[in-house]
Amino acid sequence: MQVYNVSAYIVPATDAHMSEYIAEQDARLAWMTGFTGSAGTGVVTLDKATLWTDSRYWIQAERQMDCSWELQKTVWIHSIGEWILQEVPAGKNIGLDPFLFSIDNWESYCQALQNSGRNLIPIETNLVDLVWDAQKPPPPTHSIYALSDEFTGNTWQNKVSDIRTQMEKHSKSPTAVLLSGLEETAWLFNLRGDDIPYNPVFYSYALLTKSNISLFLNQSRLTQDALQSLTAGCPGPLCVHLEDYNQVKAHLENYVQGDIRIWIGTEYTTYGLFRVIPEEKRLQESYSPVMTTKAVKNTKEQGLLKAAHVRDAVAVIQYLLWLEKNVPLGSVNEFSGARYVNQLRQKMDHWRGPSFETISASGLNAALAHYSPSNVSSRKLSVDEMYLTDSGGQYLDGTTDITRTVHWGAPTPFQKEAYTRVLMGNIELSRLVFPSGTSGRMIEAFARQTLWKVGLNYGHGTGHGIGNFLSVHEWPVGFQSNNVPLTTGMFTSIEPGYYQDGEFGIRIEDVALVVETQTEHKVGDKPFLTFEVVSLVPYDRNLIDVRLLSAEQIQYLNSYYETIRHRVGPELQRRQLQEEYEWMRSLRGAVPDPLSSSTAPYSEVQTH
Amino acid sequence: MQVYNVSAYIVPATDAHMSEYIAEQDARLAWMTGFTGSAGTGVVTLDKATLWTDSRYWIQAERQMDCSWELQKTVWIHSIGEWILQEVPAGKNIGLDPFLFSIDNWESYCQALQNSGRNLIPIETNLVDLVWDAQKPPPPTHSIYALSDEFTGNTWQNKVSDIRTQMEKHSKSPTAVLLSGLEETAWLFNLRGDDIPYNPVFYSYALLTKSNISLFLNQSRLTQDALQSLTAGCPGPLCVHLEDYNQVKAHLENYVQGDIRIWIGTEYTTYGLFRVIPEEKRLQESYSPVMTTKAVKNTKEQGLLKAAHVRDAVAVIQYLLWLEKNVPLGSVNEFSGARYVNQLRQKMDHWRGPSFETISASGLNAALAHYSPSNVSSRKLSVDEMYLTDSGGQYLDGTTDITRTVHWGAPTPFQKEAYTRVLMGNIELSRLVFPSGTSGRMIEAFARQTLWKVGLNYGHGTGHGIGNFLSVHEWPVGFQSNNVPLTTGMFTSIEPGYYQDGEFGIRIEDVALVVETQTEHKVGDKPFLTFEVVSLVPYDRNLIDVRLLSAEQIQYLNSYYETIRHRVGPELQRRQLQEEYEWMRSLRGAVPDPLSSSTAPYSEVQTH
């Protein structure tokens, strides 16, 4: 820091692609602080070291960091800025690695420090790496492979042509698109890798112009097939020029000398690359055309993602039946449960791994929305507690993500009411009809109103996009203010919940496809849309208070169960899972079972 | 333009306070073009003159403008910019009056022209005024008066102290608040005027510091009482220093020399004042603390606004009964109806005028959401058509705004369905329970879902704030993305609609107060909220298809009618409007009338 003349240095928990999960080589904050949580920011001054992280991680951070680190229990850049203003005198500099900060984050820090006499200095040499040095984990070496045609929605050449058409049609006449999100290059070129946990992507950048394609990556890691696929069209406009990953900045510096305009996605491009492009040569939008095109799955991609969800449903149904048999024996804990559901998925065709760290939480642990069990501290599952499991798989045809909450004993009336209201919220949003182009933000509250009505709510988002063998949290689809409007072909999760501190947690999460629907009347040219739920796993009848449901909700539920029987049934039979097949067919959504009252426990319902 | 070396000059349709309605002296665009619509932008080059306006005004603009003007049928600043780029060569300047453009609009024009080699030049001398010269209407001369204590929520001294407390608590330590919205000074100092049509405000600015208050206006227009009220505390921190309206810029230029920071509302402060303040001395928020404080009515203000709505309901109920009797005689047209409802309001206590130009639209005219009749073209009301009236009053205690749609004959099944669905939307939003701090944008769709379900929708916003004897459209409350989160004490209109081009239009608009509600359970510290509808006028039972209503909607409707009887009944009796009283009491919301079927026409329902 003294060499670079900075009095404070800011270290974030992300990589140069704003990835949600990061590789070991990018875990600078964890190496420096000892704290391994996924979110946080460290600031080092010449005599202090402080970590900011959110409430999920306070206990973990206190435990993992030694006394040279101080913990700040906020996350706002504004409050980090205030701390810096206290600790760093005016006239001094604050440094950061511009390749680890998005344009937005850079601007937030600038704003926090503006007119204070302190300067924010981008330093392209990462100071943590200088110290980490030889101990730093090496870059990944796994191969980067081409996805076979059966698992892609289109050839990469057609995708490139589509993006080029969008460039030509754009009123601001961009000459190039810069891709810096790892999902962007993976999707565009139909390539996958294993550089990042849970997400099958690889370190890369791309610069796509009207006549040229430059792909920046470690070329030696490409399989023969992948190399063949990328270079088959050489020379020509559909020839991919392979360049070293580290050359992206130099290449960009050269390219911006010309009469050009580069289209960038400001939500995830780093300030390091952004500042290379002169202002008048930028075309700034929140997302690149690759990101927005990828968000709308074509018919083949929709089919692939649905097929992955059918197989995934088989694994989850197997798991739920297994739990029902084994939890009463006292032989299952959160960790062994999580391991088992992943073992079941592993047996499915095209499985490539979990799509995120499995959440398996019993009783009060489920009240922590992001709890994951570990081998050393894992609660035993019991018929006296609610159990929440949120898990997903990576399959070559699609990524899955599903949450079910169950109770094998006698839930309290409040637990049943809360569960039923969460389910009603899920249903109300899932069956909503809305005009094309409606933003998720405008309809999110339909998943909350059934809880709001009685003074309940949940503190997390209502859903996120999901990929075809890509990220489980795929931007820019979802229900937040910075998500794009919903159109046919988008997939999003729908996941309302309710969390009672210290007692229990409920979440019901399905993945749904945005589809066109026929309405009785119709105003305007734009189609009306609704959701088709593609997660096909029964809910827990033991937790549903049917008396709270409207006739339409009951109808919806029964029809959903019919869809499960129709679509997952054949797959269960194909795999000769006869017991699971019978069990699944015995489950009912809302129709009170003729042989049992509406308060009959789950275990009775499955006996026939 | 040649003297000022500009090749194009942009003329907007607003004033230096971004007022929605403008005084004659500010109607520069209308004087220059002949076009008198409320929205538009003119651009004059050395050889062309072009007007941009939206679809509401295309026919009117074509008719009113002569052939020296060209009409452009868009409104986006972006498209105006594109036209300028075509017409004005690079290297040339484009001029505008910086006091007629908000900061946002200035920035949009800058962005549209950026890197094009054309420069946007602020010219403080208004070029239209130079030509208008002696023909320009003189500034208003009506007096500016103090509102008596019975009509204010607090003394102006207490309001000033409250704003100063907010300044002290603000982390960015503002030393002053600049008020440039006309509602801001009117509300803060409990003064009113008649400078602007429909809105009882007066030309003014204010700069409020911790120890000083400068109010910029034409001092000679203050009544003796108003002058006395403002200067009673002199000398001292609650003494208002009166300065000339035109001195605001010079005063600001002097003030910014010091070690200061000025809090401004960027949504409505003009670029002309904004640019006087050095960047490091600005505290920019969307709205000033006066705007956000004004938005939350205290208990007394709530009571005043509710009382105004009770009297307003009397006038509208009188009007509806009068229509029911006179429309079948063929003696009412849109214009005479509009005149009559305003005459009825005029008889109410504390009436000061209409709060906006009355919309009175029959049949296909109602499909134009902003149609107003004129003396020369006015459609006759008929029992064969639907009729929509959207009107409001300014009363010393509050501003009102209400829309009712009625049919005195036999509506088509589709008209009944559409009306019922609009009403259901109004009800669903009105009775929604939501957590404090929820933004209007997040819940707006509850007013639309009942229409969406069958493929219908409406193309305007769902509601807006409203003042205590101030603007009928009062920012920043409402359901759009730039509105502030809803909290107890805010008033908003709720006004879904449906418009069938060339056939009919429906809108049902009520004003509602955001109130705390008790919920069965409760999570978190924040209260849960709902709406209390304060517009108290029956809907048209003849247009309601009760079969579409849920049990909860029927219960809500019946309870709303009970509230009308309970709150408006005594006022009708006090005014000896016995026929109206009986008529109002005979009306039912949803309970099918025991003596008539659910399809009984309106005229039958009122016979007892």
Side-chain angles (χ1 to χ4, degrees):
Chain A
M1 285 166 59
Q2 281 162 340
V3 169
Y4 285 92
N5 192 26
V6 294
S7 301
Y9 188 68
I10 311 175
V11 181
T14 188
D15 65 14
H17 308 276
M18 301 295 111
S19 301
E20 183 180 5
Y21 300 98
I22 55 172
E24 273 189 34
Q25 63 162 359
D26 281 316
R28 295 177 182 88
L29 187 68
W31 176 76
M32 184 172 76
T33 64
F35 165 65
T36 58
S38 70
T41 303
V43 178
V44 179
T45 64
L46 296 172
D47 55 3
K48 286 194 179 170
T50 302
L51 174 86
W52 281 259
T53 190
D54 64 77
S55 58
R56 286 178 290 169
Y57 292 122
W58 293 343
I59 293 165
Q60 179 182 346
E62 295 275 22
R63 210 172 50 221
Q64 292 183 320
M65 299 193 302
D66 69 23
C67 59
S68 54
W69 283 89
E70 191 188 307
L71 175 65
Q72 290 277 347
K73 297 181 170 181
T74 60
V75 282
W76 308 111
I77 286 178
H78 185 74
S79 69
I80 302 178
E82 282 185 352
W83 185 89
I84 291 173
L85 290 180
Q86 270 177 25
E87 297 295 327
V88 177
K92 299 290 184 179
N93 298 327
I94 293 99
L96 53 72
D97 179 344
F99 290 98
L100 297 182
F101 289 81
S102 71
I103 301 164
D104 277 357
N105 277 353
W106 166 267
E107 281 172 359
S108 298
Y109 279 104
C110 279
Q111 205 164 14
L113 300 177
Q114 90 178 351
N115 309 315
S116 72
R118 286 92 172 164
N119 300 309
L120 201 59
I121 306 287
I123 304 171
E124 300 206 352
T125 301
N126 189 288
L127 304 194
V128 178
D129 287 357
L130 286 184
V131 187
W132 208 355
D133 198 29
Q135 294 173 55
K136 186 173 157 133
T141 53
H142 311 283
S143 59
I144 300 169
Y145 55 97
L147 214 49
S148 88
D149 285 352
E150 67 177 303
F151 299 121
T152 64
N154 217 328
T155 64
W156 71 258
Q157 290 87 344
N158 284 340
K159 291 179 179 178
V160 164
S161 301
D162 176 20
I163 301 303
R164 281 178 171 155
T165 304
Q166 294 185 52
M167 289 163 64
E168 271 155 33
K169 284 188 181 160
H170 198 291
S171 67
K172 297 236 165 132
S173 311
T175 61
V177 176
L178 174 65
L179 306 180
S180 60
L182 298 186
E183 297 168 64
E184 293 184 299
T185 44
W187 178 83
L188 184 63
F189 298 106
N190 292 330
L191 300 177
R192 296 294 187 271
D194 295 306
D195 296 8
I196 302 280
Y198 305 116
N199 295 345
V201 294
F202 51 93
Y203 286 109
S204 54
Y205 293 99
L207 188 73
L208 175 66
T209 74
K210 289 178 190 171
S211 56
N212 188 76
I213 308 164
S214 299
L215 176 59
F216 304 85
L217 79 183
N218 182 341
Q219 182 178 343
S220 69
R221 294 175 50 206
L222 285 169
T223 62
Q224 199 52 42
D225 280 357
L227 187 65
Q228 168 67 23
S229 161
L230 296 172
T231 55
C234 297
L238 288 171
C239 161
V240 177
H241 299 271
L242 298 168
E243 306 204 33
D244 192 72
Y245 175 74
N246 296 314
Q247 287 305 304
V248 65
K249 191 187 158 215
H251 185 98
L252 205 57
E253 281 168 339
N254 184 49
Y255 181 71
V256 299
Q257 302 302 316
D259 178 20
I260 58 97
R261 188 186 299 265
I262 305 180
W263 193 346
I264 51 170
T266 56
E267 290 270 336
Y268 50 92
T269 303
T270 60
Y271 180 69
L273 288 182
F274 175 79
R275 72 194 196 110
V276 170
I277 312 168
E279 193 183 334
E280 69 276 12
K281 297 186 176 183
R282 293 173 196 153
L283 166 51
Q284 295 180 225
E285 295 190 354
S286 298
Y287 305 100
S288 83
V290 171
M291 212 63 138
T292 52
T293 305
K294 173 165 63 64
V296 180
K297 272 69 175 168
N298 67 23
T299 311
K300 187 174 168 203
E301 288 164 331
Q302 293 172 24
L304 290 167
L305 207 34
K306 285 185 190 181
H309 277 83
V310 170
R311 297 195 309 282
D312 199 69
V314 169
V316 179
I317 287 170
Q318 285 183 277
Y319 181 52
L320 289 175
L321 175 57
W322 179 82
L323 286 172
E324 189 171 290
K325 293 197 286 187
N326 288 281
V327 168
L329 309 176
S331 60
V332 187
N333 66 33
E334 294 166 335
F335 189 76
S336 68
R339 200 175 45 202
Y340 190 66
V341 72
N342 288 316
Q343 283 166 359
L344 290 167
R345 282 198 170 90
Q346 197 166 354
K347 290 182 206 147
M348 298 296 142
D349 296 343
H350 312 316
W351 183 84
R352 299 295 297 230
S355 60
F356 59 99
E357 188 177 0
T358 301
I359 294 171
S360 169
S362 186
L364 79 177
N365 285 341
L368 309 167
H370 289 89
Y371 171 87
S372 290
S374 74
N375 209 349
V376 290
S377 76
S378 176
R379 193 175 179 90
K380 191 194 277 187
L381 271 54
S382 146
V383 295
D384 299 324
E385 288 191 341
M386 254 200 262
Y387 170 69
L388 182 159
T389 177
D390 183 353
S391 63
Q394 287 290 6
Y395 304 90
L396 288 171
D397 45 357
T399 308
T400 67
D401 183 5
I402 185 168
T403 309
R404 287 294 179 265
T405 305
V406 287
H407 197 302
W408 302 277
T412 66
F414 180 59
Q415 286 175 332
K416 279 186 80 162
E417 176 177 6
Y419 180 91
T420 307
R421 291 190 174 280
V422 170
L423 179 61
M424 287 157 72
N426 182 310
I427 292 173
E428 286 306 290
L429 183 53
S430 298
R431 72 186 191 90
L432 188 74
V433 174
F434 53 92
S436 185
T438 300
S439 70
R441 181 73 174 165
M442 269 193 74
I443 58 172
E444 196 216 339
F446 288 91
R448 298 182 186 269
Q449 59 154 334
T450 52
L451 289 158
W452 286 353
K453 191 174 182 181
V454 294
L456 307 180
N457 200 2
Y458 53 94
H460 56 71
T462 296
H464 52 79
I466 192 163
N468 278 88
F469 189 34
L470 273 171
S471 294
V472 71
H473 295 159
E474 185 175 272
W475 284 87
V477 174
F479 297 98
Q480 296 184 305
S481 53
N482 53 350
N483 289 125
V484 297
L486 295 166
T487 57
T488 315
M490 289 178 171
F491 283 80
T492 178
S493 73
I494 293 179
E495 47 180 306
Y498 176 71
Y499 308 89
Q500 183 82 14
D501 265 1
E503 298 185 26
F504 62 88
I506 297 163
R507 186 161 61 251
I508 302 177
E509 176 186 26
D510 293 305
V511 170
L513 166 65
V514 180
V515 293
E516 218 172 300
T517 184
Q518 297 309 315
T519 51
E520 193 183 330
H521 311 289
K522 181 144 174 294
V523 64
D525 309 326
K526 291 190 299 182
F528 277 76
L529 309 177
T530 190
F531 294 103
E532 176 191 337
V533 173
V534 302
S535 301
L536 297 166
V537 176
Y539 306 119
D540 187 354
R541 184 65 182 75
N542 187 32
L543 279 165
I544 299 174
D545 183 346
V546 182
R547 295 166 304 178
L548 292 174
L549 303 180
S550 71
E552 281 175 317
Q553 287 163 348
I554 288 175
Q555 189 182 20
Y556 173 93
L557 255 190
N558 290 333
S559 140
Y560 175 60
Y561 275 60
E562 188 54 44
T563 305
I564 295 174
R565 286 190 285 274
H566 178 69
R567 302 202 40 216
V568 185
E571 183 68 19
L572 286 166
Q573 288 186 302
R574 195 179 69 81
R575 302 183 63 87
Q576 301 182 318
L577 295 166
Q578 200 55 34
E579 189 184 356
E580 282 81 358
Y581 177 74
E582 298 298 340
W583 182 75
M584 182 275 286
R585 287 190 60 84
S586 75
L587 300 179
R588 289 292 176 269
V591 177
D593 190 288
L595 299 180
S596 62
S597 79
S598 71
T599 52
Y602 208 52
S603 53
E604 280 184 33
V605 174
Q606 60 96 16
T607 49
H608 58 281
Chain B
M1 286 167 59
Q2 281 163 340
V3 169
Y4 286 93
N5 192 28
V6 294
S7 301
Y9 187 68
I10 312 175
V11 181
T14 188
D15 66 12
H17 307 278
M18 301 295 109
S19 300
E20 183 180 4
Y21 300 98
I22 55 172
E24 275 189 31
Q25 64 161 0
D26 281 317
R28 295 178 182 86
L29 187 68
W31 176 77
M32 183 171 76
T33 62
F35 164 65
T36 58
S38 70
T41 302
V43 178
V44 179
T45 65
L46 295 173
D47 56 2
K48 286 196 180 170
T50 302
L51 175 87
W52 283 259
T53 191
D54 63 80
S55 58
R56 286 178 292 168
Y57 292 122
W58 293 341
I59 294 167
Q60 179 182 344
E62 295 274 23
R63 211 172 49 220
Q64 293 183 320
M65 298 192 305
D66 69 23
C67 60
S68 55
W69 284 90
E70 190 188 309
L71 176 65
Q72 291 278 347
K73 297 181 170 181
T74 60
V75 283
W76 307 111
I77 286 177
H78 185 73
S79 69
I80 302 178
E82 281 185 352
W83 185 89
I84 291 173
L85 289 181
Q86 271 177 25
E87 296 295 327
V88 178
K92 298 290 184 181
N93 299 328
I94 293 100
L96 53 73
D97 179 344
F99 290 98
L100 297 181
F101 290 82
S102 70
I103 302 164
D104 276 358
N105 278 352
W106 166 268
E107 281 172 0
S108 298
Y109 279 105
C110 279
Q111 205 164 13
L113 301 176
Q114 88 178 354
N115 310 316
S116 73
R118 287 90 172 165
N119 300 309
L120 201 60
I121 306 287
I123 304 172
E124 300 209 350
T125 301
N126 189 289
L127 303 193
V128 178
D129 287 357
L130 286 183
V131 187
W132 208 355
D133 198 26
Q135 295 172 54
K136 185 174 158 131
T141 54
H142 311 282
S143 59
I144 299 168
Y145 55 97
L147 213 50
S148 87
D149 285 351
E150 67 178 303
F151 299 121
T152 63
N154 216 329
T155 64
W156 70 257
Q157 289 87 345
N158 283 340
K159 290 179 179 177
V160 164
S161 300
D162 175 20
I163 301 303
R164 282 178 170 155
T165 304
Q166 292 185 51
M167 289 162 64
E168 271 155 32
K169 284 187 182 160
H170 198 291
S171 67
K172 296 239 169 133
S173 311
T175 61
V177 176
L178 175 65
L179 306 180
S180 62
L182 299 186
E183 298 166 65
E184 293 184 300
T185 45
W187 178 84
L188 184 61
F189 297 108
N190 293 330
L191 300 176
R192 296 294 187 273
D194 295 306
D195 296 6
I196 303 279
Y198 305 115
N199 294 345
V201 295
F202 52 93
Y203 286 110
S204 54
Y205 293 99
L207 188 73
L208 175 67
T209 73
K210 288 180 191 170
S211 56
N212 188 76
I213 308 165
S214 299
L215 177 59
F216 303 85
L217 43 52
N218 182 339
Q219 185 178 342
S220 69
R221 293 173 52 205
L222 285 169
T223 62
Q224 200 51 45
D225 279 359
L227 186 65
Q228 167 67 23
S229 161
L230 295 172
T231 56
C234 296
L238 290 171
C239 163
V240 177
H241 298 271
L242 298 168
E243 306 205 33
D244 192 71
Y245 175 76
N246 296 313
Q247 286 305 302
V248 64
K249 191 188 156 213
H251 185 100
L252 205 56
E253 282 168 340
N254 185 48
Y255 182 71
V256 300
Q257 302 302 316
D259 178 20
I260 59 97
R261 187 186 300 265
I262 305 180
W263 194 345
I264 52 170
T266 55
E267 291 270 336
Y268 50 93
T269 303
T270 61
Y271 180 67
L273 288 183
F274 176 77
R275 72 194 195 110
V276 169
I277 312 168
E279 192 182 335
E280 70 275 14
K281 296 185 176 184
R282 291 173 197 153
L283 166 51
Q284 296 180 225
E285 295 189 354
S286 297
Y287 305 99
S288 81
V290 171
M291 212 63 137
T292 51
T293 305
K294 175 165 64 61
V296 180
K297 273 69 173 167
N298 66 24
T299 311
K300 189 176 168 200
E301 288 164 330
Q302 292 173 24
L304 290 166
L305 207 33
K306 285 187 192 181
H309 277 83
V310 170
R311 295 195 309 283
D312 198 69
V314 169
V316 179
I317 287 170
Q318 284 183 276
Y319 181 52
L320 290 175
L321 176 57
W322 179 83
L323 285 173
E324 190 171 288
K325 292 197 287 188
N326 289 281
V327 168
L329 310 177
S331 61
V332 187
N333 67 32
E334 294 167 335
F335 190 74
S336 67
R339 201 176 41 203
Y340 189 67
V341 70
N342 287 317
Q343 283 167 359
L344 291 167
R345 282 199 170 91
Q346 198 166 353
K347 292 182 204 145
M348 298 295 142
D349 297 343
H350 311 316
W351 183 83
R352 299 295 297 230
S355 60
F356 60 98
E357 188 176 1
T358 301
I359 294 170
S360 169
S362 187
L364 80 176
N365 286 340
L368 309 167
H370 290 88
Y371 171 86
S372 289
S374 75
N375 210 350
V376 290
S377 76
S378 176
R379 193 175 180 89
K380 190 193 276 187
L381 272 54
S382 146
V383 295
D384 298 325
E385 288 190 342
M386 253 200 262
Y387 170 67
L388 181 158
T389 178
D390 183 354
S391 64
Q394 287 290 6
Y395 305 89
L396 288 171
D397 45 357
T399 307
T400 67
D401 183 4
I402 184 167
T403 309
R404 287 293 178 267
T405 304
V406 287
H407 197 302
W408 302 277
T412 67
F414 179 59
Q415 286 175 331
K416 279 187 78 162
E417 177 177 5
Y419 180 91
T420 307
R421 291 191 175 279
V422 169
L423 179 61
M424 287 157 73
N426 181 310
I427 293 173
E428 286 305 290
L429 183 52
S430 298
R431 71 185 191 92
L432 187 74
V433 174
F434 53 92
S436 185
T438 300
S439 71
R441 182 73 172 165
M442 268 194 76
I443 59 173
E444 196 216 338
F446 287 92
R448 298 182 185 269
Q449 60 154 332
T450 53
L451 290 159
W452 285 353
K453 191 174 183 181
V454 293
L456 307 180
N457 200 3
Y458 53 94
H460 56 71
T462 296
H464 52 78
I466 193 163
N468 278 88
F469 189 34
L470 275 171
S471 295
V472 70
H473 296 159
E474 185 175 274
W475 284 87
V477 174
F479 297 99
Q480 296 184 304
S481 53
N482 54 349
N483 289 124
V484 296
L486 295 166
T487 58
T488 316
M490 289 177 172
F491 282 80
T492 178
S493 73
I494 292 178
E495 47 180 306
Y498 176 70
Y499 308 91
Q500 183 82 14
D501 264 1
E503 298 186 26
F504 63 88
I506 297 164
R507 186 161 62 253
I508 302 177
E509 175 187 26
D510 293 304
V511 170
L513 166 64
V514 180
V515 293
E516 219 172 299
T517 184
Q518 297 308 316
T519 50
E520 194 183 329
H521 311 290
K522 183 146 174 293
V523 64
D525 309 327
K526 291 192 299 182
F528 277 75
L529 309 177
T530 191
F531 294 105
E532 176 191 337
V533 174
V534 303
S535 301
L536 297 167
V537 176
Y539 307 119
D540 187 355
R541 183 67 180 74
N542 187 31
L543 280 165
I544 299 174
D545 184 346
V546 181
R547 294 165 304 178
L548 293 174
L549 303 179
S550 70
E552 280 175 319
Q553 288 163 347
I554 289 175
Q555 188 182 21
Y556 174 92
L557 256 190
N558 289 333
S559 140
Y560 175 61
Y561 275 60
E562 188 53 44
T563 305
I564 295 174
R565 287 191 284 274
H566 177 68
R567 300 203 40 214
V568 184
E571 183 68 18
L572 286 166
Q573 288 187 301
R574 194 179 70 81
R575 301 182 63 86
Q576 301 182 316
L577 295 167
Q578 199 56 32
E579 190 184 355
E580 283 81 357
Y581 177 74
E582 298 298 338
W583 183 73
M584 180 276 287
R585 287 190 60 84
S586 75
L587 301 178
R588 291 289 175 271
V591 177
D593 190 288
L595 300 180
S596 62
S597 81
S598 71
T599 53
Y602 209 50
S603 52
E604 280 184 32
V605 174
Q606 59 95 18
T607 50
H608 56 281

